[in-house]
Every structure is written in structure tokens, then in C-alpha cells.
Amino acid sequence: MNHTPATAPAPAAAPVTVESALRTRHSVRAFLPTPVPRPRVERLLALAARSASNSNCQPWQVHVVTGAAKRSLTAALLQAHAGDDEGRGRDYAYQPEQDGWCEPFRSRRRRFGESLYRDTLGIRSDDTGARLDHHRRNYDFFGAPVGIVLTTSRHPLQSALLDAGLFLQALMLAARGDGLDTCPQASLIDFSPVLRRHLLIPDDQLIVCAVALGYADPAHRLNRLRTRREPVGSFATFHGDEAG
């Protein structure tokens, strides 16, 4: 069993370059319970707010949950996940249905699922109970002390989603630069009505995703998972004269 005492000290943070932050950022799915002070979270949000946005509209909003507020939200999300609450529903078409993926995305998703469930957690493909148990950990932000729900104004249309994505990436890189870890989470947007009720999110805000923030648990096997990246030649087309 992976267990870390609640009194675990915060790991020492070492300054990192932007390149190092990009190379070491990964989706952490097991966190230490070590608190992250509010001023530190505010500093990360202020850095993320330096992100570019369409005509400098800065359409993003964030809702930060910790302590009792986070526990209450988790309980409500788990209740809705169990079917005991009419809380299902997304604000936008986040991804295709399970059988609607085409190549190469279908194969990449399959490789990721195998790496996570089979290779890292040792869960068989037919063990739906164990898979659901892991999935439910999303709604506790994988044990992170800080949960963030990112929303954006509906008014700027599709540009607001791009702006929110820029803010999200900047937040994750700023966290790495400060010795912290994150996991962007789309699973929570399956229960947007629950998020709206608990966080008082108005209808003119589109719920984009959630983010878990804290210190990775270095002893947990989940944090050994690393995903592959496609080489530049597979996605980049250069037009014009050769450089150099």
C-alpha cells in the first residue's frame, strides 16, 4: 500500500528553466497531503495570468478549493458519479464518444490506457471494478491539497477556449518552476451542474476543466508513468528555404 503521513514535509524546491519545466511536467495522479499555502497559489495564478489572450480579453476565471470546501465538492461529485444526483452534463463537446475516435488518436489513447491500467496499476482490461475505483480518484483531485476549476467567458466564443488553454499550460509550467506538480482533469466537467451548484459558477461561464495542484508522492507507482511524445517530423511541415 502506498501511504504517506499527513505530516510529510514539503519537498525542497529547486529552480528550473522553462525547458526543464516542459521536460519534467507530467500528469501526477498521486499527491502528498502536504498543504500549499494560499499566497503561493496566488503567485502561481498571477504568473499564469501573464498568458496571451485574444485582444487581451483575459476571459478566464478560476475557483480554488481546499480543505472542507474540497471535501464537500468531492462528496457531491462522487454522489453524482454513483447516479444519486441529476448532475451529469458537459458545457461543451470535449471529445468524441468511445467508438468515435479515428487514427492515429485511437491507437494513442489505447497505448495510454494500457500504460496506465495494465502496466502501471496492474489492472486487467476486463476488471471494470478496479478501473472505476481508479477513475473515482479524479473527484478527490488524486489526493492533491488544492483543486482548481478553470472556467472562461462564453462571450468571446471559441477564442476563449484557446485563451483558457494558454492559461492552463502557463499555470502547470509555473507550478513546475516552483517545485509543485499538477494534473489537468477533464473528468470533472462530466458533472458541470454539480460544479455550478457548489462553486456558484454563473451560466455565462463555460467550465473548461479542473486541475489538481500539490506535491507528487514520489513513492507512488502511478508517478512512474511517463507517456511518449511524437517526433517533430510527424507533425511539423516546414515551408520555405532551409535554415542554417
Side-chain angles (χ1 to χ4, degrees):
M1 172 181 285
N2 294 289
H3 177 71
T4 306
T7 56
V16 298
T17 63
V18 173
E19 179 175 348
S20 177
L22 283 164
R23 291 187 180 277
T24 60
R25 186 219 64 82
H26 65 106
S27 295
V28 167
R29 295 178 174 85
F31 288 85
L32 297 172
T34 308
V36 180
R38 175 170 170 171
R40 200 167 173 190
V41 177
E42 290 179 344
R43 177 177 176 275
L44 296 179
L45 294 174
L47 288 172
R50 302 298 306 169
S51 299
S53 62
N54 180 31
S55 300
N56 198 34
C57 285
Q58 305 174 62
W60 48 71
Q61 294 282 319
V62 295
H63 296 262
V64 183
V65 291
T66 59
K70 176 174 167 282
R71 291 192 294 272
S72 177
L73 178 60
T74 291
L77 289 167
L78 288 172
Q79 181 181 9
H81 184 267
D84 298 334
D85 182 290
E86 296 296 326
R88 287 188 178 270
R90 298 175 185 164
D91 281 3
Y92 66 107
Y94 175 73
Q95 63 184 7
E97 295 299 325
Q98 187 69 25
D99 59 354
W101 291 88
C102 65
E103 294 296 346
F105 314 114
R106 182 193 301 273
S107 294
R108 290 174 186 170
R109 292 183 81 244
R110 184 174 63 249
R111 284 198 302 268
F112 167 72
E114 290 172 349
S115 297
L116 174 61
Y117 289 103
R118 183 192 65 193
D119 301 338
T120 303
L121 292 173
I123 298 174
R124 301 188 316 272
S125 59
D126 61 348
D127 191 345
T128 55
R131 285 176 171 246
L132 277 173
D133 284 343
H134 171 73
H135 183 76
R136 278 191 285 267
R137 297 182 63 250
N138 275 280
Y139 305 115
D140 187 36
F141 297 89
F142 295 113
V146 180
I148 298 172
V149 175
L150 172 62
T151 74
T152 192
S153 172
R154 295 180 188 269
H155 184 74
L157 304 180
Q158 301 281 14
S159 72
L161 278 174
L162 174 60
D163 296 343
L166 292 169
F167 180 93
L168 173 63
Q169 179 75 334
L171 175 60
M172 293 189 294
L173 294 179
R176 282 303 305 132
D178 202 33
L180 292 161
D181 292 282
T182 57
C183 185
Q185 298 176 264
S187 56
L188 276 72
I189 68 174
D190 289 341
F191 303 99
S192 290
V194 175
L195 297 176
R196 288 192 187 282
R197 287 201 305 268
H198 274 256
L199 304 179
L200 303 180
I201 299 172
D203 289 339
D204 64 352
Q205 288 286 311
L206 183 148
I207 300 175
V208 179
C209 69
V211 188
L213 172 69
Y215 295 99
D217 182 348
H220 202 292
R221 56 183 174 174
L222 273 166
N223 290 330
R224 296 194 294 266
L225 173 64
R226 295 293 185 275
T227 52
R228 296 187 297 177
R229 292 297 184 269
E230 297 297 316
V232 171
S234 72
F235 61 80
T237 302
F238 291 85
H239 304 267
D241 297 335
E242 290 288 336

